[in-house]
Amino acid sequence: MNAVLAEKAPQHQPATSALAEYVRDYLARLRGGELGSAPAVVGLVVITAFFSIVHQGFLSAYNLEALVIQAAPIIVMAMGLIFVLLLGEIDLSAGTTGGLCSAIMAVLLLRHHWLWWAAILAGLATGLVIGFGMGWLRAKVGIPSFVITLATFLAFQGATLILVGGQGSVILPAGTPLIGLENNFVPLWLGWVLLAVFVAGYAVLKLTDARGRRRTGLPATPVAVIVAKVVAVALLGAAFTYEMGINRNLISNAFFSSKAQGMPWVVVLLALLFVVWHFVLSRTRYGRHVYAVGGNEEASRRGGVAVSRIRISVFVICSGMAAVSGLVAASLLQSVQSNAGAGNTLLLAVGAAVIGGTSLFGGRGRMIDAVLGGLVVAVIINGMSDLIQGSNSSGYEYVVTGAVLLLAAGFDAVVRHGRTA
């Protein structure tokens, strides 16, 4: 009788056994080259620890705010580039696309007296149209993306210079809401509420995924691992929110006193963009098709995937996010320069995606790569600017950032070769 009952009772795998199996599988994936974002996380921790040792104020509230607002345009652009890189394509004009869109917004706002929201929509619409044009040329005409985007890189840089004119820059009118994106702060109470909502949503998502996989008989993440991840996210978020609650205003006296406390509003924008694009890539049919085309275009075509539409759409998303990045950069500078989006803007964004773990060969990448890689790039630039002073300091920053990018790209190539073997 007891034997019969034992057979009918549901068989639950012990928690310790499930956890051990999960650890073994994870280590096996690491040995097989499925490193994910692990190198970026380790690199971020190492370089942050290094600069914290050599600079006592590196982790101060003032410097953390500077890191976030400096990294925001890079992260936003990297989010869009991930879609293009997943297909093994490249967009060399993402930087100048963002500069052109921000210039259009500024000219309409200042010289033609458009309403601020209409000018912003015009800038964003320009980015979408540009992306559609480049995607159509790539998918329908067959011109390599390298050639298309190299041409548009030069053309958009010239167009921005013509729009801005000999003034050198267009100063955004004071009080424009766009300026507050990088320069105003979320109320302290709202920051904690948003953190609680984000952590709760993350926990529910992870638990729902694990439950769904168990119902279908697939291996699921152990509850202990989920709890550890949720606690880690909560602690990091709480530490950041608490640090941003410190008054960072360096000018305060008997005649003038104001507070600069709370996380910048751009943090909320980054969180929203991350959630939306992460959902698109990981939980929609469209996202599965993007990965499929990036992994094997011919097999995807035979499987019924509209490859041309997917290819056009990723360029639309990339250019649209480049436009958002240009607007964020304009908010940071409170102006649009004649060379907006030129220089190393694109290289930093591509570097952020690759450093974060996105493959240059297509088929592999996640939205978290843009965030982690963007933070790595921002930490390097910020730390080097404090470590090395003088007229050549920016040169050393470029050298170190380029070396890190080359290391990440080489590491990606070695891992891909090992996985293929």
Side-chain angles (χ1 to χ4, degrees):
M1 184 66 178
N2 291 334
V4 174
L5 292 176
E7 289 181 0
K8 292 183 177 180
Q11 300 296 320
H12 296 287
Q13 189 176 17
T16 54
S17 176
L19 181 59
E21 183 178 353
Y22 176 84
V23 173
R24 287 195 298 269
D25 290 343
Y26 180 73
L27 294 177
R29 291 197 301 270
L30 291 180
R31 289 191 296 269
E34 296 288 345
L35 301 180
S37 302
V41 173
V42 173
L44 182 60
V45 171
V46 170
I47 60 176
T48 301
F50 171 75
F51 287 126
S52 300
I53 293 173
V54 297
H55 298 299
Q56 293 183 351
F58 184 77
L59 291 180
S60 65
Y62 180 82
N63 200 54
L64 284 179
E65 178 196 340
L67 278 172
V68 171
I69 63 177
Q70 290 169 3
I74 300 174
I75 293 175
V76 172
M77 187 174 294
M79 286 181 179
L81 283 167
I82 284 176
F83 282 88
V84 173
L85 294 175
L86 282 173
L87 264 62
E89 303 285 356
I90 190 64
D91 185 356
L92 299 177
S93 66
T96 53
T97 296
L100 176 60
C101 293
S102 62
I104 291 175
M105 178 274 302
V107 169
L108 292 176
L109 183 63
L110 187 66
R111 299 177 185 172
H112 297 278
H113 310 291
W114 280 36
L115 295 175
W116 65 269
W117 57 267
I120 290 176
L121 288 179
L124 296 176
T126 301
L128 297 177
V129 172
I130 288 173
F132 179 83
M134 293 191 299
W136 186 86
L137 289 174
R138 174 66 184 93
K140 300 299 184 180
V141 183
I143 304 175
S145 59
F146 180 89
V147 177
I148 298 171
T149 57
L150 178 60
T152 51
F153 166 80
L154 298 172
F156 295 161
Q157 189 173 356
T160 302
L161 182 61
I162 294 171
L163 281 175
V164 175
Q167 300 178 5
S169 65
V170 178
I171 308 299
L172 298 181
T176 303
L178 179 63
I179 296 177
L181 185 62
E182 287 267 45
N183 299 280
N184 291 346
F185 309 103
V186 178
L188 296 182
W189 65 269
L190 182 57
W192 287 105
V193 170
L194 292 175
L195 173 63
V197 172
F198 183 84
V199 173
Y202 178 76
V204 170
L205 184 63
K206 288 296 182 180
L207 291 172
T208 303
D209 283 348
R211 182 181 302 173
R213 292 180 68 87
R214 290 192 187 96
R215 287 177 178 175
T216 56
L218 297 173
T221 304
V223 176
V225 176
I226 296 176
V227 171
K229 290 182 177 181
V230 172
V231 170
V233 170
L235 291 178
L236 289 173
F240 175 75
T241 305
Y242 174 81
E243 194 75 5
M244 288 295 95
I246 299 174
N247 184 17
R248 303 179 293 280
N249 187 14
L250 303 180
I251 303 176
S252 182
N253 51 48
F255 302 98
F256 177 80
S257 179
S258 65
K259 289 185 177 182
Q261 56 184 14
M263 66 180 69
W265 277 103
V266 74
V267 175
V268 180
L269 175 64
L270 291 176
L272 289 175
L273 291 175
F274 171 77
V275 170
V276 169
W277 293 127
H278 174 74
F279 177 83
V280 169
L281 277 180
S282 63
R283 297 178 178 278
T284 65
R285 183 180 181 183
Y286 170 79
R288 292 192 294 272
H289 286 179
V290 170
Y291 282 110
V293 175
N296 191 319
E297 179 178 336
E298 184 59 29
S300 300
R301 181 178 288 107
R302 294 185 179 185
V305 177
V307 174
S308 295
R309 294 182 182 179
I310 295 296
R311 197 176 300 281
I312 293 173
S313 68
V314 297
F315 280 96
V316 172
I317 293 173
C318 181
S319 294
M321 290 297 288
V324 177
S325 174
L327 296 179
V328 173
S331 173
L332 175 61
L333 300 174
Q334 303 185 32
S335 63
V336 177
Q337 311 294 324
S338 59
N339 62 345
N344 63 342
T345 303
L346 170 73
L347 299 180
L348 293 178
V350 173
V354 175
I355 291 170
T358 297
S359 175
L360 289 170
F361 303 96
R364 181 165 58 86
R366 299 181 301 167
M367 201 49 55
I368 191 63
D369 299 343
V371 179
L372 294 174
L375 290 176
V376 169
V377 171
V379 167
I380 292 174
I381 295 175
N382 185 282
M384 292 295 294
S385 64
D386 293 332
L387 185 63
I388 301 177
Q389 303 293 333
S391 58
N392 294 327
S393 59
S394 60
Y396 288 103
E397 294 175 17
Y398 294 152
V399 170
V400 173
T401 307
V404 173
L405 173 58
L406 180 61
L407 179 63
F411 185 77
D412 175 44
V414 171
V415 169
R416 180 174 179 270
H417 177 74
R419 292 176 61 193
T420 302

